[in-house]
Amino acid sequence: QVRSLAAERGLSTAVVTFDEHPAAIVRPESAPALLCDLDQKLELLAATGVDRTVVVHFDEVRAKESAEDFVTGTLVERLAARLVVVGADFHFGHERRGNVALLDAMGRQHGFEVRPIELVGTAGEPANDGHKVSSTAIRAALRSGDLDAANHMLGRPHEVRGRVGHGDKRARDLGFPTANLAIDDRICLPADGIYAGWATTVDGTAHPTAISLGRRPTFYDDQPVSLLEAHLLDA
């Protein structure tokens, strides 16, 4: 919709995002798990066909910035915005005091239009309080192991990325060698279990993969965190 509206008006498109989840700075003890890291987010946004993504550094200073200052500094002075498209429940600025009404009022002052997008349910219908597509709902689906629901809301298969590390080689001894992946502990993982999926290597090759996520109770009584292991079926 952003691209369509921009084309009608002869404008270029830009997405504004932060390099950190604001909660990771404001309340790190209860910050939500991330559905993707920054690199993956930039790739996903680029794939939508927007002209550019503007990454705003978020730190303690930015957390104290008023909503009004964010509008004038980022949207007006940095981007010369003419049209701002946001979710209808959008909040921003210090203590989340900014909202669509404030954006609309400042838009009339600075010459930009505001287009709020209503939230939707999982079937695309207007959302109600109990059922809406949101990052919170997606994280809940992942943690319960409901990948179908999570992927439906994401509009893509959930993906995590990590570097292959050294394990204890038990799987190799059993005849099913696995790649042990070190995942950023900020990333949201699904519930422990065995999953079918795809592993994409750094050269872009996709392999059908059996994925084990868990604490391996066969071998360990007190492993502190779940381990993600991928067995490439065609390797």
Side-chain angles (χ1 to χ4, degrees):
Q1 187 166 352
V2 168
R3 289 192 294 112
S4 176
L5 292 169
E8 292 173 2
R9 293 162 171 76
L11 303 173
S12 62
T13 55
V15 174
V16 179
T17 188
F18 292 124
D19 60 347
E20 295 279 357
H21 193 296
I25 303 300
V26 177
R27 46 179 179 84
E29 71 286 348
S30 60
L34 302 177
L35 296 175
C36 60
D37 62 21
L38 181 60
D39 286 342
Q40 186 182 0
K41 180 192 291 188
L42 294 176
E43 291 176 19
L44 291 166
L45 289 171
T48 68
V50 296
D51 295 311
R52 63 185 58 83
T53 297
V54 177
V55 180
V56 177
H57 178 55
F58 196 92
D59 55 16
E60 292 183 0
V61 174
R62 179 75 65 179
K64 297 176 182 177
E65 181 181 48
S66 70
E68 292 84 356
D69 285 347
F70 179 80
V71 171
T72 55
T74 299
L75 301 184
V76 177
E77 296 174 3
R78 184 174 181 182
L79 293 177
R82 290 294 174 263
L83 173 67
V84 177
V85 180
V86 294
D89 65 342
F90 181 60
H91 288 80
F92 65 101
H94 182 56
E95 296 182 344
R96 293 168 51 84
R97 292 178 179 173
N99 54 24
V100 172
L102 175 64
L103 269 179
D104 190 59
M106 294 193 71
R108 290 193 296 272
Q109 177 184 354
H110 293 285
F112 63 81
E113 177 188 351
V114 178
R115 183 70 64 94
I117 302 297
E118 295 299 327
L119 305 183
V120 297
T122 55
E125 78 284 4
N128 57 48
D129 290 339
H131 298 88
K132 62 182 178 182
V133 175
S134 67
S135 57
T136 299
I138 294 167
R139 283 191 291 268
L142 287 170
R143 287 176 173 143
S144 70
D146 190 349
L147 269 292
D148 287 341
N151 292 344
H152 177 68
M153 288 186 281
L154 284 168
R156 59 177 175 83
H158 181 56
E159 176 186 344
V160 297
R161 299 180 178 185
R163 291 185 176 275
V164 177
H166 294 291
D168 52 22
K169 298 183 175 59
R170 291 183 186 273
R172 180 182 301 176
D173 293 339
L174 294 171
F176 296 94
T178 61
N180 298 314
L181 296 180
I183 307 298
D184 187 327
D185 59 12
R186 298 175 300 171
I187 298 297
C188 187
L189 290 171
D192 286 359
I194 306 298
Y195 298 95
W198 294 89
T200 304
T201 52
V202 291
D203 63 359
T205 304
H207 302 269
T209 303
I211 302 165
S212 170
L213 178 62
R215 305 195 179 193
R216 303 186 294 177
T218 301
F219 303 110
Y220 302 97
D221 294 327
D222 58 353
Q223 187 165 306
V225 295
S226 295
L227 178 69
L228 183 64
E229 300 177 89
H231 172 61
L232 280 56
L233 299 174
D234 61 353

